[in-house]
Amino acid sequence: MKKLLVVLLGLASLNVYANGCGGEYQPATGTCRIIDSSGRQILYNVGRPQSSNSGYAQNQPSVVNIDVPSTYGAWAVNPKTGISGGALNMSSRALAEKEAIRTCEQGGQNAPCIIGAWVRNGCIAVAQGKTGKKLRTFYAIEDPDMAEPMALRKCQAAGAVQCKITTPEGCSLPKF
């Protein structure tokens, strides 16, 4: 049974490689799904034969663009108190910034807050460290699982000590 499973998995991976799909191949429909840098989903139809002028069938990929709405996130902070707030998965940058300020100001108790960073279709994390007696803030906007390490690297590269994540990674990624 194990040998049969290995053979089937091998054939499935060969099929994906043979179709030249650089993303997620869906054999039931013969399509390949790829996400481009702007967050749009692109489907390549790699498995459907099309007839050519010479009368024989050949596989020619066709491109189908699917617009996937972007999502935005923002992080706001009160520079005097250091208290911060954020927003994720908003439909626009303006809405994300407004919500981040609202959560940061906590009903006016922590006003005024300012936007420290915003993100479109990505992740954000914040680190803090000390340089002398001053507390400094470093943020990173990256792909998933990369924002926290990058924020810490920025903090350390600036010569700060006691660098630590103060706002864990939060992501605003498009939904397919």
Side-chain angles (χ1 to χ4, degrees):
M1 187 66 178
K2 287 183 183 179
K3 288 182 182 179
L4 179 60
L5 181 62
V6 170
V7 169
L8 289 175
L9 288 174
L11 289 173
S13 65
L14 178 63
N15 190 24
V16 170
Y17 179 75
N19 282 318
C21 178
E24 178 184 317
Y25 179 68
Q26 300 169 351
T29 60
T31 58
C32 177
R33 184 177 83 153
I34 298 173
I35 309 304
D36 73 4
S37 62
S38 67
R40 289 185 314 179
Q41 178 175 252
I42 300 172
L43 294 177
Y44 291 95
N45 191 354
V46 295
R48 182 178 57 174
Q50 298 177 353
S51 61
S52 68
N53 291 338
S54 59
Y56 62 91
Q58 57 181 320
N59 285 337
Q60 294 201 358
S62 60
V63 177
V64 177
N65 287 324
I66 298 175
D67 288 327
V68 178
S70 294
T71 60
Y72 297 82
W75 175 77
V77 63
N78 180 315
K80 291 181 182 173
T81 66
I83 296 174
S84 64
L88 295 172
N89 297 318
M90 305 302 282
S91 60
S92 71
R93 178 180 172 183
L95 286 174
E97 289 178 350
K98 183 178 180 180
E99 181 66 13
I101 288 174
R102 187 188 70 74
T103 60
C104 176
E105 290 182 348
Q106 303 171 357
Q109 299 172 358
N110 190 44
C113 289
I114 60 170
I115 296 298
W118 67 275
V119 63
R120 175 183 166 261
N121 299 336
C123 303
I124 188 169
V126 181
Q128 286 184 334
K130 290 183 179 179
T131 53
K133 294 182 180 181
K134 188 174 181 172
L135 189 64
R136 292 187 56 199
T137 302
F138 304 87
Y139 64 89
I141 298 170
E142 294 289 331
D143 291 332
D145 299 324
M146 299 299 297
E148 285 184 22
M150 181 56 77
L152 285 173
R153 278 196 292 275
K154 286 181 175 183
C155 182
Q156 294 162 350
V161 295
Q162 299 175 353
C163 294
K164 63 181 180 177
I165 297 294
T166 56
T167 302
E169 178 177 281
C171 299
S172 287
L173 300 171
K175 306 281 188 269
F176 300 102

